[in-house]
Amino acid sequence: MTDARTRFEDAARTYDILATHRRAPRSAASSLIMLVAPDADALCAARMLADLLKQDDIMHRIIPVSGMNELERIRDDLVATAELRTLIMLNMGAILDLPSREWFGDFPDHLRVHIIDANRPQNLASLFGPDEKIVVWDDGGAEQLEEQRKAWEGLAYAPEEDDDDDDDDDEGDSEEDVDEEEEDEEANGSPSSGKRRRSSPSTKRKRRKVDDDPNRLTRDERELHSAVIEKYYMAGTFYGQAASSTIYILATVLTRTDNDLLWFAILGLTYQYTTSRISRNTYDRYHAIYENEVRRLNKDIVEGGRNGNVSINARGPDDNSIRVTEELRFMLWRHWNLYDAMMHSGYVASKLGIWREKGRKRLHGLLAKMGFSTIQSQQPYSHMDMSLKKDLHAKLESITPEYGMVELSYASFARCCGYRSQPLSAADSIEAVSALLDAAGGVHLEIEIEGARNGGEWFGGGRVWQAHGQQNRWRDDEQENIPPGGQPAARKPDAEEGEEEDAKKQVQWWVRNFWSAFDSLNDITQLRDALRLSMSLHRAVIRAGSALIDKRAIRTMRGHRVVLLTQGPDLPLFASPGALARLARWLVDAMRERVSGTNVSSQTKKKSLPFVVAALDEREGTYLVVGINAALEFGDVRKNEFGLAFLDAKERCNARTRHGTFDSNVLEIKKEDLELFLQTLCEGVRR
């Protein structure tokens, strides 16, 4: 972390100045505001930064922001906040031209806007501009943008083109005078002299212009700089260092690291890897750093064994140590049964094709070869025979290569929870937090009660999900005349009143999801309960994904795989961007080895798997569309070019769309415009 420490020494000094100023007795919470995007990495970063501020008794506010429209509204509200001194934006704002008047250019000079964002590319004006109000916390990527910096500075600081036009007019007048002189000289019989005179004045004037203003660019230089910047922005979106990793480096410079901050940083890294935002090589590089930190902060702790279990239980009721362990690519396998954990794994799905009866038989055959009976494999993992759990990794490594599963595990971490719960792995914790963000409220989702598989034999063992400590109420909070498993009959207000009420309810559910996930980071009971919600989400993904493949609903349009989800019991669930992205990633994993690769555009020669998944929102009359540009190999990552492709297709077909999130590859489009939009999109980006 030596280079990172050097880069963040200035940030540490900024934090010290901030802490000194905020300890003033008259400072208000509104003077320091954190805007947080709705993803697990941003939540972990917000929790870490809030803990640091709390240690220094610094008052602050945390405001969740759902997307660009919400950010614009908050920006307009902040204009009237005179006491605002510091604004911290977590996982948002990197691509925006923040120094411009549209954002924070007109704000007072005492304001400081700190950008801690893993999204790439970054806006060059925010990164290299002279405005001291904008502070970008970089991970070292700016050092590799020397060519882009020179191109941006050349265009930003060069004289305006109007000056060139005036000079060109003057040059044109002088050339007319020269032509008159040449005609006179040609009449006198000296054409060679006139030829020399024809080239001399303009050349001298061009040299004089360059000598007078060395910053002036020629037309070729302008075009060259513009091409460099256009290539930078058009290359596609990708992800840099996690925001939680950035805050952990700050804590390291401040010598404030502890197990809590380290665990949140590990969760942010795990989130990036499990959602295919970073490659396996990038994950391994950060894992090595965090492994050293775990050993430094958790001395005399025996690490988890190769069997993937944390081999020893908590040593006491207050044991919150972090262990180094191996994580299988099975979904929540420590808290589910082995059969379902493998059944709901995208990696296993791609190798066995579990959406078909033949694939499920292969899964049964694999378990039989390992010596696991049907009864044992469908028992909760905690209830399995100890001998089977002990030999699980060894048997998997010896048998699964026959089925093409050669990368069945990866290095990870787990944390003890005292006597309150069995240790939780980083992957399981991220699954729980993401499930709360996506479906803690706003959707009707049934979860399975532990010990009552598939709803029980007689009376059923399922129940409607209810957030920890909250009442499970539907719209209008009416409990009468509600059909079993249904929603209450809403009253019929006026049209305008109904729209306002619906928008208010939608925001209320989304904010509640955010705070439920935020609180779960420090509440093991809530986090453990959310594991059941995550299982239900994965069941819904498998149901929808298997149905789409069985019905051959995956269309091929000019190399793109297009999926339309228009019906099904879980259709309302996939109106959420997070849930639809889960389905898209599962489809990519399932079809990775069964379809050929292609390209979204001509920007790159590397083939990938462009998937476009659209889910119908019957209530709004729109489709939610997600574009994923996945790599052909598991663990590899491609830049996502769908953000630019969406914008280009929208302009060409005049589709009515709306970007409701910070992900440029997610948009909402009117139902009537979808088919034309997809046809235009698959024709390719206009050049």
Side-chain angles (χ1 to χ4, degrees):
M1 286 191 177
T2 303
D3 296 339
R5 179 185 293 271
T6 302
R7 289 196 302 269
F8 280 83
E9 285 180 353
D10 293 339
R13 286 192 290 269
T14 301
Y15 180 87
D16 291 338
I17 296 173
L18 173 70
T20 302
H21 178 72
R22 296 298 179 270
R23 290 192 190 102
R26 294 184 178 180
S27 61
S30 57
S31 63
L32 194 158
I33 296 177
M34 278 192 283
L35 304 182
V36 186
D39 64 69
D41 176 39
L43 253 68
C44 292
R47 171 58 72 182
M48 296 168 70
L49 193 54
D51 290 347
L52 291 175
L53 296 173
K54 185 178 179 180
Q55 293 175 13
D56 292 319
D57 296 327
I58 301 176
M59 299 179 65
H60 60 277
R61 288 176 58 197
I62 297 178
I63 302 178
V65 185
S66 60
M68 291 299 300
N69 293 335
E70 184 74 7
L71 181 60
E72 292 176 357
R73 184 190 64 79
I74 292 176
R75 183 265 179 200
D76 295 338
D77 294 341
L78 293 178
V79 172
T81 307
E83 60 270 22
L84 179 63
R85 294 293 185 275
T86 303
L87 183 66
I88 302 174
M89 304 174 68
L90 297 177
N91 274 356
M92 68 180 78
I95 193 59
L96 302 177
D97 187 7
L98 298 179
S100 66
R101 300 183 62 182
E102 295 180 356
W103 289 104
F104 300 104
D106 291 339
F107 275 61
D109 293 336
H110 59 72
L111 173 67
R112 291 296 179 268
V113 181
H114 297 265
I115 311 301
I116 306 175
D117 192 356
N119 294 278
R120 301 292 185 272
Q122 297 169 302
N123 188 277
L124 297 177
S126 300
L127 198 60
F128 302 121
D131 194 342
E132 296 182 354
K133 290 195 295 291
I134 309 301
V135 181
V136 179
W137 294 42
D138 180 51
D139 59 355
E143 299 173 0
Q144 304 174 7
L145 300 177
E146 187 64 22
E147 181 182 10
Q148 289 80 2
R149 182 187 64 82
K150 291 181 178 179
W152 179 84
E153 291 179 348
L155 294 177
Y157 301 131
E160 297 293 335
E161 294 184 359
D162 294 340
D163 298 339
D164 296 340
D165 297 338
D166 295 341
D167 293 338
D168 291 341
D169 294 339
D170 295 341
E171 185 176 339
D173 295 340
S174 63
E175 288 179 353
E176 291 177 0
D177 297 339
V178 172
D179 291 340
E180 293 178 358
E181 295 178 0
E182 290 172 357
E183 292 176 359
D184 296 340
E185 292 181 359
E186 288 178 359
N188 294 331
S190 55
S192 60
S193 174
K195 197 170 188 178
R196 288 193 301 269
R197 289 173 183 261
R198 186 160 42 243
S199 59
S200 178
S202 61
T203 302
K204 288 182 179 180
R205 183 166 294 277
K206 289 181 180 179
R207 290 177 181 173
R208 192 181 304 121
K209 287 196 300 182
V210 175
D211 294 340
D212 292 343
D213 192 350
N215 293 326
R216 185 180 298 275
L217 298 178
T218 64
R219 181 175 300 175
D220 292 340
E221 289 175 335
R222 285 185 181 275
E223 293 179 353
L224 180 61
H225 290 336
S226 299
V228 169
I229 294 177
E230 182 181 6
K231 181 180 179 181
Y232 169 72
Y233 286 123
M234 297 289 289
T237 59
F238 59 103
Y239 295 89
Q241 179 175 271
S244 53
S245 297
T246 302
I247 300 300
Y248 187 77
I249 294 175
L250 173 64
T252 302
V253 175
L254 297 173
T255 64
R256 305 246 192 114
T257 55
D258 56 25
N259 264 348
D260 289 337
L261 296 181
L262 176 58
W263 181 244
F264 295 145
I266 290 173
L267 293 184
L269 174 65
T270 305
Y271 168 75
Q272 283 194 317
Y273 181 59
T274 56
T275 55
S276 301
R277 296 177 180 233
I278 59 175
S279 65
R280 177 65 183 269
N281 293 334
T282 302
Y283 173 80
D284 289 340
R285 185 171 69 252
Y286 279 97
H287 178 275
I289 296 174
Y290 289 143
E291 183 176 351
N292 293 334
E293 290 293 296
V294 168
R295 299 184 187 280
R296 180 176 67 86
L297 296 175
N298 298 268
K299 297 180 180 179
D300 302 327
I301 296 295
V302 179
E303 66 182 50
R306 282 285 299 168
N307 61 354
N309 298 316
V310 179
S311 56
I312 58 174
N313 294 323
R315 299 184 302 177
D318 299 324
D319 184 8
N320 294 317
S321 59
I322 302 175
R323 316 291 176 85
V324 180
T325 186
E326 287 286 321
E327 184 69 24
L328 290 174
R329 298 189 189 277
F330 302 157
M331 191 58 59
L332 302 170
W333 56 280
R334 296 180 182 88
H335 311 276
W336 219 340
N337 60 75
L338 187 59
Y339 178 82
D340 279 336
M342 298 178 70
M343 182 79 173
H344 294 83
S345 166
Y347 182 76
V348 176
S350 66
K351 303 298 182 180
L352 301 183
I354 52 87
W355 58 87
R356 299 192 302 260
E357 183 64 26
K358 181 180 178 181
R360 290 189 285 273
K361 289 182 178 179
R362 294 187 69 192
L363 177 57
H364 282 284
L366 169 61
L367 291 171
K369 284 185 178 181
M370 293 171 54
F372 288 78
S373 65
T374 302
I375 296 177
Q376 285 285 349
S377 62
Q378 294 187 0
Q379 279 187 348
Y381 182 80
S382 58
H383 297 166
M384 287 176 58
D385 291 342
M386 288 298 298
S387 59
L388 296 178
K389 290 192 289 186
K390 183 177 180 180
D391 298 335
L392 176 61
H393 259 66
K395 291 182 178 181
L396 286 172
E397 290 179 355
S398 62
I399 296 176
T400 53
E402 301 177 12
Y403 297 84
M405 291 183 280
V406 295
E407 295 183 2
L408 202 57
S409 63
Y410 59 95
S412 186
F413 304 93
R415 191 176 191 187
C416 292
C417 308
Y419 293 159
R420 296 167 293 174
S421 171
Q422 60 176 314
L424 285 176
S425 69
D428 294 345
S429 300
I430 280 298
E431 283 294 334
V433 172
S434 299
L436 289 173
L437 274 173
D438 297 337
V443 294
H444 185 276
L445 201 61
E446 185 172 302
I447 64 172
E448 182 180 297
I449 297 177
E450 186 174 1
R453 177 171 172 77
N454 294 330
E457 182 177 0
W458 294 99
F459 302 104
R463 63 177 176 85
V464 176
W465 163 257
Q466 180 175 341
H468 180 69
Q470 296 179 359
Q471 295 293 327
N472 185 28
R473 291 183 177 268
W474 294 99
R475 288 190 54 189
D476 302 329
D477 291 335
E478 296 176 356
Q479 295 299 311
E480 298 181 358
N481 301 323
I482 302 177
Q487 298 186 12
R491 60 185 178 88
K492 298 181 179 180
D494 295 336
E496 296 181 358
E497 181 183 354
E499 293 178 359
E500 294 178 359
E501 184 177 341
D502 291 344
K504 183 178 180 181
K505 282 293 182 182
Q506 183 178 3
V507 173
Q508 180 182 359
W509 277 120
W510 179 84
V511 173
R512 184 177 299 180
N513 291 357
F514 177 91
W515 289 116
S516 295
F518 185 83
D519 294 339
S520 70
L521 293 173
N522 282 346
D523 187 345
I524 185 59
T525 301
Q526 188 174 356
L527 196 65
R528 184 182 57 200
D529 292 344
L531 293 174
R532 295 288 159 188
L533 178 63
S534 179
M535 294 176 188
S536 296
L537 276 176
H538 285 288
R539 288 193 186 96
V541 168
I542 288 291
R543 284 195 299 267
S546 299
L548 290 170
I549 297 176
D550 288 340
K551 295 177 182 178
R552 297 185 177 181
I554 302 179
R555 296 184 297 168
T556 300
M557 299 177 63
R558 295 180 179 268
H560 295 67
R561 269 71 192 182
V562 179
V563 182
L564 298 184
L565 187 62
T566 59
Q567 59 184 355
D570 305 302
L571 186 60
L573 172 64
F574 295 109
S576 165
L580 187 60
R582 287 173 181 258
L583 175 61
R585 288 194 297 268
W586 186 88
L587 288 172
V588 166
D589 289 338
M591 305 300 294
R592 192 184 300 273
E593 298 184 1
R594 289 168 172 78
V595 297
S596 59
T598 183
N599 292 325
V600 177
S601 69
S602 59
Q603 288 291 325
T604 177
K605 296 181 180 180
K606 294 183 178 180
K607 290 187 176 182
S608 57
L609 294 175
F611 263 78
V612 181
V613 184
L616 175 64
D617 187 343
E618 295 177 319
R619 179 180 177 184
E620 300 292 336
T622 60
Y623 275 91
L624 184 66
V625 184
V626 173
I628 292 184
N629 195 31
L632 292 177
E633 296 182 1
F634 195 88
D636 197 5
V637 174
R638 292 282 184 271
K639 292 183 178 180
N640 197 326
E641 302 173 12
F642 273 108
L644 299 170
F646 283 169
L647 292 176
D648 183 80
K650 172 188 174 181
E651 293 178 356
R652 291 159 60 188
C653 67
N654 295 322
R656 293 165 292 177
T657 65
R658 183 176 70 91
H659 282 278
T661 69
F662 291 109
D663 294 324
S664 60
N665 61 315
V666 179
L667 61 80
E668 189 176 355
I669 184 170
K670 282 292 184 180
K671 181 169 59 175
E672 298 81 7
D673 300 338
L674 178 67
E675 194 63 31
L676 178 60
F677 174 81
L678 292 177
Q679 293 177 1
T680 307
L681 174 69
C682 295
E683 289 175 357
V685 178
R686 179 178 52 196
R687 298 299 174 197

